[in-house]
Amino acid sequence: MADTSLGKYDLLIRQGADKYLAELDKLHWFEQTNLKREEVVEYLNEHKKLPILCIYSIAENLWHDSEGYDDMERYLELTKDYLKLANIQIKTIHGFDNGEIDLATSSNSYHYTIKDFEPSNDWIEDGFIDNFINQQILTKENCNKRFYIIPPMDQSIFVLFLTPELHQQAIDKGIIPDNPNYYDDKEQLFHDANEK
């Protein structure tokens, strides 16, 4: 009988890397993302002691530190990188010392103000990726994919670039946790695994 206190992700990763890969294959994950199956296999083989890290194997190299956003250049670089992945051409982009961003594509203009922007606060604004990139830009540019933050472990941010349908299927199948604070609850597991 299954342990009902565990989520679908916990139940899946307990079955091992082969089962995790099989679920990715069932969703045609590698045909719908920029990932190469062999790279995911290599990652999973390298992290056998920490099967909980399965989720990072599918992060498509979209990783960044949540600190260091104390000047507008970091926000502009992040925006450029993400829009390049989404195949959206930037015509102009400007950042201002008050935390404002003006961006233009060939068809639309966007304005965003980072809340509480100041050099003494170098954490990325909560919601920047979703509120500005996903909701404003990708929606208006008719991009069918969105950036989804994987539950963070420490101060790293890992992101998936998926259609909303594939994102929901991944949650339903246990490929990614449905709890945005998943790793806060699992911190002791990492400590224990690293001690072995």
Side-chain angles (χ1 to χ4, degrees), residues 4 6 11 19 25 28 71 100 117-118 154-155 171 180:
T4 55
L6 295 174
L11 293 171
K19 180 64 174 167
D25 289 336
H28 304 283
D71 65 54
E100 294 184 8
F117 179 77
E118 55 185 73
D154 65 45
Q155 65 188 42
I171 291 172

Side-chain angles (χ1 to χ4, degrees), residues 6-64:
L6 295 174
K8 291 179 183 179
Y9 178 70
D10 291 288
L11 293 171
L12 178 60
I13 63 174
R14 282 180 174 213
Q15 297 176 59
D18 290 340
K19 180 64 174 167
Y20 191 78
L21 284 165
E23 290 301 319
L24 291 172
D25 289 336
K26 285 180 192 174
L27 290 181
H28 304 283
W29 193 269
F30 301 103
E31 293 86 0
Q32 298 185 67
T33 65
N34 295 322
L35 285 174
K36 292 181 174 47
R37 192 178 194 281
E38 57 273 13
E39 291 174 1
V40 172
V41 170
E42 182 181 340
Y43 182 98
L44 292 172
N45 286 335
E46 287 176 15
H47 295 88
K48 284 186 179 188
K49 283 178 75 176
L50 290 174
I52 201 166
L53 291 173
C54 282
I55 192 170
Y56 294 116
S57 69
I58 58 172
E60 297 189 86
N61 298 322
L62 283 175
W63 171 89
H64 56 94

Side-chain angles (χ1 to χ4, degrees), residues 166-184:
L166 185 56
H167 180 252
Q168 187 58 54
Q169 289 172 347
I171 291 172
D172 294 344
K173 295 292 184 184
I175 289 168
I176 58 177
D178 62 355
N179 174 4
N181 300 312
Y182 178 80
Y183 287 112
D184 292 343

